[in-house]
């Protein structure tokens, strides 16, 4: 597909196809359902839409009948499956350099989010933002964590690095070998998708550190960054600001426009060009976040209401009923029953049924909604 709108590199599907080769998966059918060209899997610069990027992982896990399988599949991939991005980590001088390299060069992998690395007094966090409105991301996140910890295991030459993993979703019904291996170091139902690295490890030299090779890799990654990194849509900043300000009670057009340094009319024109409006975009982000919190957490209703920008529980309840046709409590109870019976949706969006206008934004624009749930108490 053309490098426009919201995309992720297609090679992840090639890896998924290869590591899942023992299973009878109909990839032409998958490509038809999620509207991508199979040929892009063989193209080193091939991309797919982020809704497909999420949806295919959900579909495959569902087809395999194992909602924990992505942990194991991607914790066992070979170093180099993702080319330059893998070697940015394995050949870095230290673990800190490796994490900073991931953060700097994530735009060569996708324009849908920005991975972050932040240090504290006790260590550092590698964090993936929570993406709303682009379908269910749970299995995709399991794969990313499996892959990232495999990089850590290889770089530090240890079977189970002393890390802590937090995931902002429910635990799978099945139990993977990965979960057994990281038992006690893996927390579900958290408010972040991140890995904590102890301070003592950050300056550790990596097993395959090679300064000469690393210079070559950085140069190649910089060339890819020049090619891929300039493709971010202005709508990314709008949606990102909306998601970040939901719980602040300041998610209004004047406030968001001021934060972005844009006029209100400029923001409106940009959204109108994509067939949506500020009200529709804000509503869809709230709706998607509400579904995720109700389905995937046990947070009190009052806290969910606050996190998505409602000051009154009654207003939140009315909004949920208008979105899903039932009260928040009934929606949560229904989701719990579906999860317990192993029911998974194979809808192309993989999650909320988006309106036509918002689907255009979801499919074609970078709505990187970082830290929607950052206000939740640890």
């Amino acid at each position: 597909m053309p490098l426009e709108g919201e995309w992720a590199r297609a090679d992840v599907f090639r890896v998924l196809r290869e590591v899942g080769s023992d299973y009878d998966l109909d990839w032409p059918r998958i490509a038809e359902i999620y509207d991508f060209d199979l040929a892009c899997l063989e193209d080193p610069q091939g991309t797919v839409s982020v809704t497909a990027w999420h949806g295919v992982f959900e579909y495959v896990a569902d087809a395999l009948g194992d909602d924990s399988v992505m942990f194991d599949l991607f914790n066992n991939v070979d170093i180099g499956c993702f080319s330059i991005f893998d070697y940015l980590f394995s050949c870095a001088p230290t673990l800190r350099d490796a994490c900073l390299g991931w953060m700097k060069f994530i735009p060569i992998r996708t324009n849908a989010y920005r991975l972050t690395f932040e240090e504290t007094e006790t260590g550092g966090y590698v964090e993936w933002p929570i993406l709303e409105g682009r379908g269910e991301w749970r299995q995709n996140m399991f794969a990313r964590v499996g892959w990232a910890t495999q990089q850590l295991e290889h770089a530090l030459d240890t079977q189970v690095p002393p890390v802590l993993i937090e995931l902002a979703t429910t635990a799978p019904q099945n139990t993977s070998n990965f979960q057994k291996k990281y038992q006690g170091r893996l927390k579900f139902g958290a408010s972040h998708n991140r890995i904590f690295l102890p301070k003592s490890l950050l300056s550790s030299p990596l097993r395959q550190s090679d300064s000469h090779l690393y210079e070559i890799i950085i140069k190649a990654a910089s060339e890819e960054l020049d090619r891929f990194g300039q493709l971010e849509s202005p709508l990314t900043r709008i949606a990102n600001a909306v998601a970040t300000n939901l719980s602040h009670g300041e998610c209004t057009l004047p406030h968001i426009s001021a934060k972005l340094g844009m006029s209100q009319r400029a923001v409106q024109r940009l959204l109108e060009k994509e067939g949506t409006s500020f009200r529709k975009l804000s509503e869809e982000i709230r709706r998607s976040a509400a579904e995720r919190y109700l389905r995937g957490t046990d947070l009190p209703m009052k806290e969910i209401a606050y996190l998505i920008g409602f000051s009154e529980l009654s207003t939140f309840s009315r909004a949920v009923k208008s979105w899903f046709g039932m009260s928040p409590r009934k929606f949560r109870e229904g989701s719990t029953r579906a999860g317990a019976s192993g029911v998974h949706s194979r809808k192309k969006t993989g999650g909320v049924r988006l309106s036509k206008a918002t689907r255009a934004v979801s499919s074609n624009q970078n709505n990187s909604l970082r830290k929607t749930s950052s206000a939740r108490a640890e």
Side-chain angles (χ1 to χ4, degrees):
M1 63 175 286
L3 287 178
E4 60 185 16
E6 189 178 56
W7 55 268
R9 296 287 282 273
D11 54 4
V12 70
F13 285 178
R14 184 179 69 248
V15 173
L16 180 58
R17 183 180 62 185
E18 291 170 358
V19 298
S21 60
D22 290 341
Y23 304 95
D24 186 20
L25 294 172
D26 186 348
W27 278 92
R29 175 61 177 157
I30 293 172
E32 180 183 357
I33 292 172
Y34 291 97
D35 193 23
F36 65 90
D37 186 349
L38 270 179
C40 72
L41 276 62
E42 314 305 331
D43 180 356
Q45 297 180 25
T47 65
V48 295
S49 73
V50 166
T51 48
W53 191 58
H54 286 162
V56 168
F57 278 85
E58 296 295 320
Y59 183 97
V60 170
D62 188 30
L64 301 184
D66 186 347
D67 65 345
S68 69
V69 69
M70 293 304 165
F71 282 126
D72 285 349
L73 290 180
F74 280 80
N75 190 237
N76 291 289
V77 296
D78 294 330
I79 297 294
C81 282
F82 301 114
S83 185
I84 291 297
F85 205 73
D86 277 4
Y87 295 121
L88 277 167
F89 199 91
S90 61
C91 294
T94 68
L95 187 57
R96 178 183 288 105
D97 293 314
C99 294
L100 289 171
W102 269 357
M103 182 174 71
K104 178 178 179 180
F105 291 104
I106 190 65
I108 71 178
R109 298 297 307 164
T110 179
N111 70 348
Y113 67 86
R114 292 294 179 264
L115 182 148
T116 61
F117 173 66
E118 296 181 2
E119 290 192 52
T120 67
E121 291 183 359
T122 57
Y125 288 94
V126 173
E127 182 171 345
W128 294 264
I130 296 169
L131 299 182
E132 307 287 13
R134 274 74 55 84
E136 179 60 68
W137 44 262
R138 185 167 175 257
Q139 294 298 327
N140 185 285
M141 193 66 236
F142 289 173
R144 277 182 272 171
V145 165
W147 165 80
T149 49
Q150 193 263 6
Q151 290 271 334
L152 286 164
E153 293 162 9
H154 180 268
L156 297 171
D157 196 19
T158 182
Q159 185 177 5
V160 184
V163 300
L164 296 175
I165 303 165
E166 295 177 290
L167 290 167
T169 185
T170 53
Q173 296 291 314
N174 300 94
T175 302
S176 61
N177 290 328
F178 177 88
Q179 289 165 266
K180 295 174 183 176
K181 183 167 69 170
Y182 282 92
Q183 187 174 11
R185 298 186 175 277
L186 182 56
K187 176 186 176 183
F188 293 95
S191 56
H192 307 272
N193 291 318
R194 66 186 184 181
I195 299 176
F196 173 76
L197 311 168
K199 193 176 185 67
S200 59
L201 288 183
L202 295 180
S203 298
S204 300
L206 303 188
R207 180 177 67 168
Q208 290 190 340
S209 175
D210 183 323
S211 58
H212 178 65
L213 180 57
Y214 192 60
E215 287 181 11
I216 296 172
I217 291 168
I218 289 292
K219 182 179 179 182
S222 297
E223 291 173 355
E224 285 208 9
L225 191 61
D226 289 340
R227 181 164 58 250
F228 287 96
Q230 305 302 317
L231 301 167
E232 188 174 43
S233 164
L235 272 181
T236 298
R237 298 175 59 225
I238 298 174
N240 204 20
V242 168
T244 302
N245 284 274
L246 278 181
S247 62
H248 299 167
E250 299 173 329
C251 190
T252 63
L253 178 59
H255 180 80
I256 297 299
S257 300
K259 282 187 71 71
L260 296 173
M262 300 171 68
S263 70
Q264 294 182 47
R265 185 57 193 143
V267 171
Q268 289 173 322
R269 281 199 300 268
L270 219 165
L271 294 170
E272 287 168 2
K273 184 179 178 182
E274 298 301 326
T276 189
S277 66
F278 186 83
R279 183 187 63 78
K280 290 178 181 178
L281 179 62
S282 302
E283 182 84 351
E284 190 56 55
I285 291 170
R286 280 195 172 94
R287 178 181 172 185
S288 176
E291 183 186 38
R292 180 175 60 80
Y293 284 127
L294 290 170
R295 285 188 187 281
T297 76
D298 57 1
L299 287 174
M301 296 299 179
K302 279 188 176 181
E303 189 170 349
I304 296 175
Y306 166 76
L307 286 173
I308 64 174
F310 291 99
S311 58
E312 298 292 336
L313 184 57
S314 58
T315 310
F316 167 69
S317 297
R318 286 195 296 272
V320 170
K321 190 167 185 179
S322 70
W323 293 332
F324 307 119
M326 63 187 76
S327 70
R329 193 168 304 282
K330 286 186 178 179
F331 184 78
R332 172 173 272 176
E333 289 171 355
S335 300
T336 301
R337 286 195 297 271
S341 63
V343 175
H344 299 285
S345 171
R346 291 191 182 187
K347 291 179 183 178
K348 185 174 175 180
T349 57
V352 180
R353 182 176 295 175
L354 305 179
S355 65
K356 182 177 179 181
T358 311
R359 190 160 60 243
V361 177
S362 293
S363 299
N364 299 318
Q365 302 298 337
N366 178 14
N367 305 328
S368 193
L369 311 181
R370 185 175 182 273
K371 296 185 182 301
T372 298
S373 62
S374 60
R376 176 182 170 185
E378 295 284 359

